[in-house]
Amino acid sequence: MKKELDYFIIDGCYGGNQDWFTDWWMNKGGCGAATCCDSSLYFAIHREMTHLYPYDVKQLTKEEYIQFAMLMKPYLSPRMRGIDKLDIYIDGAAKYFADRGEPGITMLPFAGESDVADARRIVRYQIDHGYPIPYLNLKHKNKALDDYEWHWFLLTGYELFCEEAAGQQEPDGTMMVKAVTYGNWRWLDFDDLWDTGHREKGGMVLYRYTPS
Protein backbone atom coordinates (compact mmCIF):
# COMPACT_ATOMS: atom_id res chain seq x y z
CA MET A 1 0.00 0.00 0.00
CA LYS A 2 1.63 3.23 -1.16
CA LYS A 3 0.44 6.82 -1.46
CA GLU A 4 2.40 9.89 -2.50
CA LEU A 5 1.19 13.44 -2.97
CA ASP A 6 1.84 15.27 -6.21
CA TYR A 7 4.45 17.88 -5.44
CA PHE A 8 6.40 20.52 -7.37
CA ILE A 9 9.89 21.14 -8.73
CA ILE A 10 11.84 24.40 -8.49
CA ASP A 11 15.08 24.68 -10.47
CA GLY A 12 15.58 20.93 -10.29
CA CYS A 13 14.85 20.70 -6.56
CA TYR A 14 11.97 18.73 -5.05
CA GLY A 15 10.26 21.69 -3.39
CA GLY A 16 12.09 24.68 -1.97
CA ASN A 17 15.59 24.58 -0.54
CA GLN A 18 16.67 26.31 2.68
CA ASP A 19 20.26 26.32 1.41
CA TRP A 20 19.21 28.95 -1.15
CA PHE A 21 18.51 31.55 1.54
CA THR A 22 21.05 34.37 1.57
CA ASP A 23 19.71 35.82 4.84
CA TRP A 24 21.99 34.33 7.54
CA TRP A 25 19.22 33.58 10.07
CA MET A 26 16.97 32.06 7.44
CA ASN A 27 19.79 29.93 6.04
CA LYS A 28 20.60 28.56 9.49
CA GLY A 29 17.18 28.42 11.11
CA GLY A 30 14.51 29.04 8.50
CA CYS A 31 13.19 25.47 8.33
CA GLY A 32 9.83 26.40 9.87
CA ALA A 33 9.32 29.22 7.39
CA ALA A 34 10.44 26.98 4.50
CA THR A 35 7.96 24.29 5.60
CA CYS A 36 5.13 26.82 5.55
CA CYS A 37 6.32 28.15 2.17
CA ASP A 38 6.23 24.66 0.70
CA SER A 39 2.83 23.97 2.29
CA SER A 40 1.46 27.20 0.82
CA LEU A 41 2.87 26.37 -2.59
CA TYR A 42 1.34 22.89 -2.41
CA PHE A 43 -2.09 24.37 -1.62
CA ALA A 44 -1.67 27.02 -4.32
CA ILE A 45 -0.82 24.44 -6.99
CA HIS A 46 -2.89 21.42 -6.00
CA ARG A 47 -5.82 23.02 -4.15
CA GLU A 48 -6.09 26.08 -6.44
CA MET A 49 -5.43 28.50 -3.55
CA THR A 50 -3.22 30.69 -5.73
CA HIS A 51 -3.65 33.62 -3.33
CA LEU A 52 -1.30 31.82 -0.91
CA TYR A 53 1.66 32.30 -3.25
CA PRO A 54 2.39 35.88 -4.38
CA TYR A 55 4.07 34.86 -7.66
CA ASP A 56 3.27 32.76 -10.72
CA VAL A 57 2.54 29.14 -9.71
CA LYS A 58 2.99 28.03 -13.31
CA GLN A 59 6.57 29.26 -13.54
CA LEU A 60 8.30 28.57 -10.23
CA THR A 61 11.79 30.02 -9.86
CA LYS A 62 14.48 29.89 -7.22
CA GLU A 63 14.66 33.69 -7.05
CA GLU A 64 10.95 34.11 -6.37
CA TYR A 65 10.99 31.30 -3.80
CA ILE A 66 13.74 33.13 -1.91
CA GLN A 67 11.65 36.31 -1.98
CA PHE A 68 8.65 34.30 -0.78
CA ALA A 69 10.66 32.95 2.15
CA MET A 70 11.58 36.48 3.17
CA LEU A 71 7.88 37.39 3.12
CA MET A 72 7.26 34.39 5.38
CA LYS A 73 10.09 35.26 7.78
CA PRO A 74 8.08 37.68 10.00
CA TYR A 75 5.45 34.99 10.56
CA LEU A 76 7.88 32.18 11.44
CA SER A 77 11.05 33.98 12.41
CA PRO A 78 14.14 31.94 13.26
CA ARG A 79 15.09 32.19 16.94
CA MET A 80 17.71 30.88 19.37
CA ARG A 81 15.91 27.59 20.11
CA GLY A 82 14.22 27.53 16.74
CA ILE A 83 10.49 27.03 16.29
CA ASP A 84 10.56 24.25 18.85
CA LYS A 85 6.83 24.02 19.64
CA LEU A 86 3.96 22.97 17.42
CA ASP A 87 1.88 25.92 18.59
CA ILE A 88 4.51 28.43 17.45
CA TYR A 89 4.28 27.06 13.92
CA ILE A 90 0.48 26.94 14.03
CA ASP A 91 0.19 30.54 15.25
CA GLY A 92 2.59 31.87 12.61
CA ALA A 93 1.11 29.90 9.73
CA ALA A 94 -2.44 30.86 10.75
CA LYS A 95 -1.50 34.56 10.66
CA TYR A 96 0.01 34.15 7.21
CA PHE A 97 -3.04 32.32 5.85
CA ALA A 98 -5.35 34.96 7.35
CA ASP A 99 -3.33 37.83 5.88
CA ARG A 100 -3.53 36.16 2.47
CA GLY A 101 -7.31 35.93 2.76
CA GLU A 102 -7.60 32.18 3.37
CA PRO A 103 -9.84 31.43 6.38
CA GLY A 104 -10.55 27.82 5.41
CA ILE A 105 -7.24 26.27 6.49
CA THR A 106 -7.06 25.27 10.14
CA MET A 107 -4.37 23.34 11.99
CA LEU A 108 -4.27 20.88 14.86
CA PRO A 109 -1.21 19.80 16.87
CA PHE A 110 -0.38 16.11 17.13
CA ALA A 111 2.10 15.74 19.96
CA GLY A 112 5.21 13.60 19.69
CA GLU A 113 4.25 11.92 22.98
CA SER A 114 1.28 10.27 21.27
CA ASP A 115 1.18 6.52 20.70
CA VAL A 116 2.93 5.39 17.53
CA ALA A 117 -0.12 3.41 16.34
CA ASP A 118 -2.23 6.57 16.50
CA ALA A 119 0.53 8.49 14.72
CA ARG A 120 0.67 5.91 11.92
CA ARG A 121 -3.08 6.17 11.44
CA ILE A 122 -3.06 9.96 11.31
CA VAL A 123 -0.22 10.00 8.77
CA ARG A 124 -2.19 7.76 6.45
CA TYR A 125 -5.36 9.80 6.97
CA GLN A 126 -3.64 13.10 6.16
CA ILE A 127 -1.87 11.84 3.07
CA ASP A 128 -4.96 9.96 1.84
CA HIS A 129 -6.91 13.22 2.10
CA GLY A 130 -4.33 15.24 0.21
CA TYR A 131 -2.56 17.06 3.04
CA PRO A 132 1.21 17.39 3.42
CA ILE A 133 2.27 17.04 7.07
CA PRO A 134 4.59 19.56 8.75
CA TYR A 135 6.81 17.48 11.04
CA LEU A 136 8.97 18.75 13.92
CA ASN A 137 11.81 16.49 15.03
CA LEU A 138 13.91 17.64 17.97
CA LYS A 139 16.68 15.43 19.37
CA HIS A 140 16.92 11.85 18.14
CA LYS A 141 18.80 8.79 19.33
CA ASN A 142 19.43 7.53 15.77
CA LYS A 143 22.56 9.20 14.42
CA ALA A 144 21.43 8.38 10.89
CA LEU A 145 18.78 11.09 11.42
CA ASP A 146 21.23 13.83 12.43
CA ASP A 147 20.20 15.90 9.38
CA TYR A 148 16.67 15.98 10.78
CA GLU A 149 17.55 17.05 14.34
CA TRP A 150 15.88 20.24 15.60
CA HIS A 151 14.29 20.56 12.19
CA TRP A 152 10.97 21.13 10.45
CA PHE A 153 10.19 19.24 7.24
CA LEU A 154 7.20 17.82 5.38
CA LEU A 155 5.87 14.29 5.04
CA THR A 156 4.33 13.84 1.59
CA GLY A 157 3.83 10.11 1.28
CA TYR A 158 3.79 6.71 2.97
CA GLU A 159 4.30 3.08 2.04
CA LEU A 160 2.97 0.25 4.18
CA PHE A 161 4.75 -3.06 3.80
CA CYS A 162 1.99 -5.37 5.03
CA GLU A 163 -1.67 -6.13 4.58
CA GLU A 164 -4.21 -5.42 7.29
CA ALA A 165 -5.53 -8.66 8.74
CA ALA A 166 -9.24 -9.16 9.31
CA GLY A 167 -10.34 -7.55 12.57
CA GLN A 168 -6.94 -5.96 13.13
CA GLN A 169 -7.10 -2.33 14.24
CA GLU A 170 -3.65 -1.36 13.01
CA PRO A 171 -1.55 -3.34 10.52
CA ASP A 172 1.81 -4.52 11.79
CA GLY A 173 4.98 -4.17 9.80
CA THR A 174 7.11 -1.36 8.46
CA MET A 175 5.62 1.95 7.41
CA MET A 176 7.96 4.21 5.46
CA VAL A 177 7.29 7.93 5.09
CA LYS A 178 8.56 10.34 2.44
CA ALA A 179 10.38 13.17 4.21
CA VAL A 180 10.92 16.32 2.14
CA THR A 181 13.50 18.98 3.04
CA TYR A 182 16.36 20.96 1.49
CA GLY A 183 14.93 20.42 -1.99
CA ASN A 184 15.14 16.65 -1.74
CA TRP A 185 13.28 13.64 -0.36
CA ARG A 186 14.16 10.51 1.58
CA TRP A 187 12.14 7.50 2.71
CA LEU A 188 12.33 6.98 6.50
CA ASP A 189 11.04 4.24 8.79
CA PHE A 190 8.21 6.02 10.58
CA ASP A 191 8.33 4.01 13.81
CA ASP A 192 12.04 4.77 14.11
CA LEU A 193 11.46 8.46 13.36
CA TRP A 194 8.67 8.68 15.95
CA ASP A 195 10.69 6.93 18.70
CA THR A 196 13.20 9.71 19.36
CA GLY A 197 14.54 8.29 22.62
CA HIS A 198 14.40 11.74 24.24
CA ARG A 199 12.00 13.32 26.72
CA GLU A 200 11.53 16.53 24.75
CA LYS A 201 9.35 15.70 21.73
CA GLY A 202 8.25 17.41 18.55
CA GLY A 203 5.28 16.08 16.62
CA MET A 204 3.13 16.90 13.62
CA VAL A 205 0.79 19.66 12.46
CA LEU A 206 -2.45 18.46 10.89
CA TYR A 207 -3.96 20.66 8.20
CA ARG A 208 -7.70 20.79 7.66
CA TYR A 209 -9.61 22.70 5.02
CA THR A 210 -13.22 23.85 5.22
CA PRO A 211 -14.47 25.87 2.21
CA SER A 212 -15.97 29.19 3.21
Side-chain angles (χ1 to χ4, degrees), residues 37-186:
C37 284
D38 278 23
S39 297
S40 299
L41 254 172
Y42 175 85
F43 288 130
I45 295 168
H46 298 295
R47 292 290 187 98
E48 299 183 348
M49 301 179 197
T50 54
H51 50 288
L52 294 182
Y53 183 63
Y55 306 104
D56 186 354
V57 297
K58 295 182 179 179
Q59 294 186 1
L60 304 178
T61 68
K62 172 182 174 180
E63 291 72 24
E64 289 180 343
Y65 183 87
I66 294 170
Q67 295 173 39
F68 183 34
M70 292 308 294
L71 292 175
M72 190 65 73
K73 181 181 177 182
Y75 297 93
L76 290 162
S77 299
R79 56 205 76 193
M80 291 303 296
R81 273 182 55 90
I83 297 173
D84 61 343
K85 305 291 183 186
L86 302 178
D87 286 346
I88 299 176
Y89 180 93
I90 290 172
D91 289 346
K95 289 174 183 174
Y96 175 75
F97 295 147
D99 285 352
R100 297 299 298 183
E102 182 46 71
I105 298 176
T106 57
M107 289 161 281
L108 300 170
F110 189 89
E113 294 82 4
S114 303
D115 183 77
V116 67
D118 293 334
R120 287 166 61 113
R121 278 192 290 270
I122 203 65
V123 165
R124 297 201 307 275
Y125 179 90
Q126 293 296 109
I127 300 298
D128 287 346
H129 287 80
Y131 296 111
I133 305 169
Y135 193 106
L136 172 62
N137 181 63
L138 299 175
K139 294 180 180 179
H140 206 287
K141 63 184 180 181
N142 186 348
K143 293 302 179 184
L145 297 176
D146 280 355
D147 289 344
Y148 299 86
E149 277 212 343
W150 224 266
H151 191 54
W152 282 92
F153 51 95
L154 283 173
L155 303 184
T156 67
Y158 70 85
E159 185 167 10
L160 193 61
F161 289 91
C162 63
E163 294 295 330
E164 187 169 356
Q168 190 175 349
Q169 292 293 319
E170 172 66 21
D172 294 324
T174 299
M175 188 175 86
M176 305 295 288
V177 288
K178 191 174 188 179
V180 178
T181 188
Y182 286 105
N184 211 332
W185 53 267
R186 177 180 166 191

Side-chain angles (χ1 to χ4, degrees), residues 116 140-142 144-145 188-197:
V116 67
H140 206 287
K141 63 184 180 181
N142 186 348
L145 297 176
L188 303 176
D189 184 311
F190 182 75
D191 288 20
D192 181 43
L193 178 65
W194 195 250
D195 182 16
T196 67

